[in-house]
Amino acid sequence: MTSETRKLIDKAVEGIQDKKGRDITIIDLSEIDGCITKAFVICEGGSPSQIEAIYDSVSDKMREDLHEKPVRTAGLENCIWVAMDYVDIMVHIFLPDARDHYNLEHLWADAPTEELPNID
């Protein structure tokens, strides 16, 4: 993983943690052939309003600190699963049931993962 990718990941994590996002997992996809991105940053929010707040926080930090905007965003209509595509990384913000259902960590089980401790 490049230092540029790591900067994006760290800034996304900062935005997530600022709004008390939980169970953050980073999946390193940089060594997987044909993958659409280099890393996933996955987290949970406890309600649709918290998911929207996490989205806003990540978006603000990426724009203000790194001058990055997502090329695509999906899921803001219902805030059950919001995906933010920054090309080199994708940020996924889930409600717990949706995260369990889609189970991205299992889909990419062959990739190295990093689980961050929750901050209270």
Side-chain angles (χ1 to χ4, degrees):
M1 180 182 314
T2 67
S3 64
E4 287 302 311
T5 301
R6 192 72 221 190
K7 275 190 219 173
L8 290 168
I9 290 168
D10 292 345
K11 195 53 62 176
V13 167
E14 185 181 328
I16 292 164
Q17 290 176 332
D18 278 359
K19 296 301 177 185
K20 306 278 191 250
R22 301 190 56 78
D23 299 325
I24 301 170
T25 300
I26 299 162
I27 303 176
D28 181 353
L29 302 169
S30 61
E31 300 297 320
I32 298 189
D33 289 337
C35 198
I36 60 170
T37 190
K38 294 179 182 167
F40 280 172
V41 178
I42 304 168
C43 72
E44 292 178 15
S47 68
S49 58
Q50 185 184 16
I51 287 176
E52 188 173 357
I54 293 168
Y55 163 83
D56 288 340
S57 179
V58 170
S59 182
D60 290 347
K61 292 222 177 271
M62 294 290 237
R63 186 181 67 254
E64 292 167 6
D65 297 351
L66 301 179
H67 308 289
E68 294 283 347
K69 292 181 182 178
V71 294
R72 207 169 14 261
T73 299
L76 282 172
E77 314 77 44
N78 56 22
C79 289
I80 294 170
W81 172 13
V82 173
M84 306 170 75
D85 183 353
Y86 286 95
V87 182
D88 282 353
I89 72 166
M90 290 188 71
V91 179
H92 299 273
I93 312 163
F94 286 99
L95 284 177
D97 288 347
R99 185 177 186 173
D100 290 344
H101 177 76
Y102 291 103
N103 200 0
L104 294 182
E105 291 92 339
H106 177 72
L107 288 175
W108 299 100
D110 53 340
T113 61
E114 178 184 353
E115 295 180 7
L116 302 182
N118 290 325
I119 295 176
D120 292 319

